[in-house]
Amino acid sequence: MVTAVSTIANGGNHVTPRVVKQIIDSKTGEVKDIEVKKQEGVISKKTSEDVLSMMKSVVAEGTGKNAKVEGYSIGGKTGTSEDGVNTGKYVTSFIGVAPIEDPEVVVLVTLYNPTGEGGHQGGGVAAPVGGQIFSEVLPYLEVQKEENEEDMIMEIEVPNLIGLTIKEAKDKLKELDLEIEYEKGEEEVLESEITIKEQLPKPGIKIKQKNKIIVEVQ
């Protein structure tokens, strides 16, 4: 299963697993590298990207959300199956890959007959274990954390727009990367004349850039 997901992560190229990377002779220092066996194009690059995108959705908003790690894009798939017929026992699993944009690690967690409080579903008991492993492995490998776009938006103080014309207010808000919203109509052509009598949020309130200031005109 790990080999199959690794093939997806490798853009459709299959790499035969190996346990030993190289052998070093302790007496002579001679190094013998173990050959990497690779088969290209097992699946198309597009199929690889499509599946990785779906796996990312599973962790972002699906059954694998318990594998999330702040700052990293992780893809995965949960699994739950019966261990035999009418045995009441289950095999539960989670397989994940990270980071999705440039995969470096594939992790498979398989639990046989889990009996804890989390139940026997892959998303409830296997995915959290996978997330814990990723949370330790990715920093160890020095994989760079992603910057949250929302966190990068600055928080600023709402300016006082009362008494300004719509045109003056628009110019002022543009400098602060804010927008204006008001009831539009014939007054649109008079933006340099009509003035603002009320605004929400009120002046002095702190909000994120890109937000709108709702105003009422005279």
Side-chain angles (χ1 to χ4, degrees):
M1 193 184 294
V2 170
T3 303
V5 173
S6 295
T7 301
I8 295 168
N10 285 329
N13 300 320
H14 174 274
V15 177
T16 301
R18 56 180 178 159
V19 177
V20 179
K21 180 179 180 181
Q22 59 183 203
I23 300 172
I24 302 174
D25 190 308
S26 59
K27 294 180 180 178
T28 65
E30 181 185 356
V31 177
K32 179 184 178 182
D33 291 322
I34 304 302
E35 179 188 1
V36 177
K37 295 181 180 179
K38 186 175 179 181
Q39 183 181 356
E40 297 185 355
V42 174
I43 60 174
S44 71
K45 192 170 189 302
K46 183 182 184 307
T47 299
S48 163
E49 292 170 349
D50 288 345
V51 175
L52 286 176
S53 176
M54 288 186 279
M55 292 177 72
K56 184 177 181 179
S57 296
V58 169
V59 175
E61 53 196 34
T63 57
K65 56 181 178 291
N66 287 326
K68 284 183 184 177
V69 179
E70 191 66 36
Y72 296 104
S73 59
I74 295 173
K77 182 70 183 77
T78 58
T80 308
S81 60
E82 290 185 76
D83 186 7
V85 180
N86 300 323
T87 62
K89 296 181 180 180
Y90 294 86
V91 178
T92 183
S93 63
F94 170 80
I95 191 161
V97 55
I100 284 293
E101 288 72 23
D102 186 17
E104 291 195 34
V105 184
V106 172
V107 170
L108 171 63
V109 177
T110 306
L111 305 176
Y112 296 92
N113 195 30
T115 56
E117 294 180 0
H120 61 263
Q121 300 294 325
V125 291
V129 180
Q132 181 63 37
I133 294 171
F134 278 125
S135 72
E136 297 183 32
V137 170
L138 295 173
Y140 176 78
L141 293 176
E142 298 182 347
V143 175
Q144 199 74 20
K145 276 192 171 185
E146 295 180 337
E147 292 183 323
N148 190 322
E149 189 175 335
E150 186 67 26
D151 293 339
M152 294 171 65
I153 299 176
M154 289 179 59
E155 192 175 60
I156 56 175
E157 194 173 288
V158 174
N160 187 359
L161 305 178
I162 296 173
L164 299 181
T165 65
I166 291 293
K167 185 178 184 309
E168 289 171 337
K170 278 186 173 181
D171 291 341
K172 192 169 190 175
L173 294 179
K174 187 176 181 180
E175 293 176 3
L176 300 172
D177 202 6
L178 293 171
E179 297 179 15
I180 192 169
E181 182 177 306
Y182 67 102
E183 187 177 344
K184 296 179 179 179
E186 292 181 5
E187 69 269 22
E188 273 190 294
V189 296
L190 303 172
E191 287 184 349
S192 61
E193 298 179 23
I194 58 175
T195 56
I196 296 168
K197 66 176 182 179
E198 292 291 343
Q199 71 174 83
L200 284 174
K202 297 289 186 183
I205 299 292
K206 288 190 175 180
I207 62 172
K208 294 269 190 180
Q209 288 178 310
K210 312 289 184 186
N211 275 309
K212 290 182 178 181
I213 308 297
I214 301 170
V215 300
E216 185 180 341
V217 296
Q218 300 280 11

